[in-house]
Amino acid sequence: MTLPRKVPRKQVHLGAHFPGVNNTTVWSDPRSGSQIDFASFEHLARRAEAARFDFFFLAEGLRLREHKGQIHDLDVVGRPDTLPVLAALAAVTDRIGLAGTINTTFNEPWELARQFATLDILSGGRAAWNLVTSSDAFTGENFRRGGFLPYEQRYERAAELVSVARALWDSWDDDAVVAHASTGQFVRPGSVRDVRHEGPHFQVRGEFTTPRGPQGHPVLFQAGDSADGRDFAAATADVVFSAHSTFEAGQAFFADVKGRLAAHRRTPDQLLILPATTVVLGATAQEAAERSREIRLQQVPGPTAIAFLEQVWGRDLTDHDPEGPLPRIEPDVENLDITRGRVRHVKDPRTIAAAWREQADANGWSIRQLVIEVTSRGGFVGTATQVADAIDRHVQEDASDGFILVPHLTPTGLDDVFDQVVPLLQERGSFRTEYSGPTLRDHLGLNRPAPRATRSQADRALVG
């Protein structure tokens, strides 16, 4: 009698998110630490590495959010530059990946290619680049080019930028540096090639100055959710940073994006989908639910609820009680710039207002309760066992390949996950107990791109 062969469990991939410019974290909580001191970055990175997480992730904002002409100080605001922070973390960690969010709209390919190649070299092959785009003229005011780029061109520019960056990374052979002291030869002849690119957004001609990093290319993350964003991810990314953390929405997004890969001659294992999510633990499910409710109340105080509503209404609503009913006045559709820098709504304000009134009336919600509901993005709430079960189910049943965990406290907000949830995932064989290799590509199960000079002609065409 032949026993059925046991199918190995799919492995859960986990990242630790250090929040950027947002109100996900509760900076006013007495337990919250600094968003700026290096000790905070180091704490989260070291704890995540000890738990064998795949990577540490930095979000980014290029301009502080303004509301009615003032800095919205209920958000987390201000943080050191991403790449120096990651380079510093490379010196105090050994294995964990180091992922940074850098904008493709307001940066140049040569500079970014060099910065990420340098980070990959300094970290021993642990660099990752989260590609984001922006058509926001308000953000663009901080840059020489300003807000010149039309919305429909943002992915066009991003795709061209990535293509140039890859050409630069591939312009050095892996064995280009020989450093023969006896002959005085440092670089093998013919191992470094000129890069010549002429495109609608960039013109690049010359030799790249940085040798090829241990990963060949840094791991590329992408966070867009539009149809263009999904196509861009399927063509370009190694990892998708998704917002779909509920099970049904996750399965639909997973199937949609992975279904787009074949058109780009890629297979499902070449792209990981990792939604952002939160975790709230308790000794019982009821205790966890109560903790989650308290956190959401902290994250959405009365002034934040009113400011959120003003983004849609286009009106000053400070005379409204956040614990009272929604405004009956209609939105001012001509005044959509009341909040500048991070507007959440691009649909018809009147349609949104009508839908929210209907929800609030049906459930008896106040303004604050409504805002808490419509800004919740799912998340895992329960005992450590319940959360481990839910995370594992998402991965085993193709709702995600894992998660990027976002804490509500900096820098200790994931400590209970490291201590309670990770050991349960390890016990069931769904999460590593040791790293299998030194690079982030090893952690994620992604192949290392071959140098462009050694690829077939067809593969070279895909790169450029």
Side-chain angles (χ1 to χ4, degrees):
M1 177 179 176
T2 302
L3 295 175
R5 186 176 180 180
K6 187 176 181 180
V7 178
R9 298 187 70 78
K10 292 175 63 179
Q11 292 298 291
V12 175
H13 294 283
L14 294 174
H17 184 289
F18 193 103
V21 183
N22 57 56
N23 61 349
T24 300
T25 53
V26 184
W27 64 262
S28 58
D29 190 299
R31 297 167 296 171
S32 182
S34 172
Q35 304 281 334
I36 299 172
D37 289 348
F38 181 69
S40 293
F41 299 103
E42 184 178 10
H43 175 92
L44 183 57
R46 283 183 178 272
R47 285 302 315 268
E49 183 172 68
R52 304 300 186 262
F53 268 44
D54 294 77
F55 56 88
F56 170 95
F57 184 95
L58 276 180
E60 185 61 289
L62 295 178
R63 185 155 182 167
L64 302 182
R65 182 155 67 103
E66 292 182 15
H67 188 73
K68 294 188 290 191
Q70 301 293 321
I71 298 300
H72 189 63
D73 62 0
L74 293 174
D75 279 356
V76 177
V77 294
R79 199 183 63 198
D81 186 63
T82 293
L83 287 165
V85 171
L86 294 180
L89 289 174
V92 297
T93 57
D94 297 311
R95 292 292 186 89
I96 193 165
L98 302 168
T101 302
I102 302 293
N103 195 287
T104 62
T105 304
F106 302 112
N107 289 289
E108 296 295 315
W110 196 93
E111 294 172 328
L112 292 184
R114 187 168 188 246
Q115 289 166 338
F116 276 101
T118 300
L119 179 61
D120 205 48
I121 292 168
L122 293 179
S123 65
R126 296 185 282 140
W129 174 11
N130 181 37
L131 303 150
V132 294
T133 65
S134 175
S135 59
D136 178 12
F138 171 69
T139 299
E141 289 173 356
N142 274 343
F143 295 85
R144 175 176 58 86
R145 293 180 180 270
F148 77 101
L149 191 65
Y151 180 90
E152 62 275 8
Q153 291 183 18
R154 59 180 186 163
Y155 283 113
E156 176 187 288
R157 188 182 201 273
E160 186 178 341
L161 188 150
V162 172
S163 178
V164 176
R166 283 176 164 162
L168 293 166
W169 293 326
D170 287 339
S171 66
W172 284 64
D173 289 345
D174 283 331
D175 59 353
V177 179
V178 292
H180 288 157
S182 59
T183 64
Q185 184 185 81
F186 188 78
V187 176
R188 182 172 53 79
S191 62
V192 181
R193 293 162 294 282
D194 284 351
V195 172
R196 299 192 177 195
H197 173 87
E198 297 284 338
H201 295 279
F202 306 108
Q203 293 79 45
V204 178
R205 297 187 67 177
E207 291 180 346
F208 195 44
T209 61
T210 308
R212 206 161 190 263
Q215 294 188 110
H217 301 172
V219 174
L220 297 184
F221 285 61
Q222 197 271 333
D225 189 39
S226 65
D228 287 343
R230 295 183 187 203
D231 282 334
F232 180 64
T236 305
D238 299 306
V239 178
V240 174
F241 180 20
S242 162
H244 300 277
S245 58
T246 62
F247 185 77
E248 291 76 14
Q251 280 191 318
F253 183 82
F254 188 98
D256 179 75
V257 174
K258 299 236 178 182
R260 297 171 188 250
L261 291 168
H264 303 282
R265 297 175 56 189
R266 303 180 70 195
T267 56
D269 61 334
Q270 293 179 303
L271 179 68
L272 301 181
I273 295 176
L274 304 179
T277 194
T278 58
V279 174
V280 180
L281 298 178
T284 64
Q286 182 177 355
E287 179 184 311
E290 180 58 27
R291 283 192 64 197
S292 178
R293 189 187 74 83
E294 292 173 355
I295 290 168
R296 291 300 288 140
L297 288 172
Q298 283 184 297
Q299 291 171 328
V300 188
T304 291
I306 294 297
F308 184 87
L309 221 62
E310 287 174 335
Q311 294 180 32
V312 175
W313 260 257
R315 298 179 183 276
D316 186 321
L317 300 176
T318 49
D319 60 341
H320 285 67
D321 181 0
E323 305 302 337
L326 269 67
R328 292 300 163 182
I329 189 173
E330 288 300 312
D332 179 357
V333 296
E334 302 300 324
N335 181 23
L336 300 182
D337 291 329
I338 195 166
T339 296
R340 305 186 76 202
R342 191 166 63 91
V343 178
R344 296 182 174 101
H345 307 291
V346 295
K347 298 178 182 179
D348 176 21
R350 288 174 179 163
T351 301
I352 294 173
W356 285 0
R357 284 199 199 99
E358 184 177 343
Q359 287 179 272
D361 291 344
N363 294 281
W365 291 337
S366 66
I367 290 173
R368 189 180 182 195
Q369 289 170 318
L370 181 280
V371 172
I372 286 173
E373 292 296 324
V374 300
T375 58
S376 295
R377 295 191 301 176
F380 300 108
V381 179
T383 66
T385 298
Q386 289 171 330
V387 169
D389 288 343
I391 289 175
D392 199 30
R393 181 192 176 211
H394 277 71
V395 173
Q396 304 309 323
E397 298 183 26
D398 291 345
S400 75
D401 290 300
F403 291 93
I404 299 176
L405 303 185
V406 184
H408 77 284
L409 291 177
T410 302
T412 59
L414 294 179
D415 285 359
D416 54 356
V417 176
F418 301 145
D419 295 335
Q420 299 177 46
V421 177
V422 169
L424 296 177
L425 292 171
Q426 291 170 329
E427 286 175 9
R428 68 184 63 193
S430 297
F431 191 71
R432 69 173 66 88
T433 56
E434 294 295 339
Y435 289 114
S436 59
T439 73
L440 178 55
R441 287 186 176 275
D442 292 326
H443 307 343
L444 298 173
L446 297 171
N447 291 331
R448 182 182 187 275
R452 191 176 185 186
T454 66
R455 297 177 186 164
S456 70
Q457 191 63 38
D459 287 337
R460 291 183 208 177
L462 282 178
V463 174

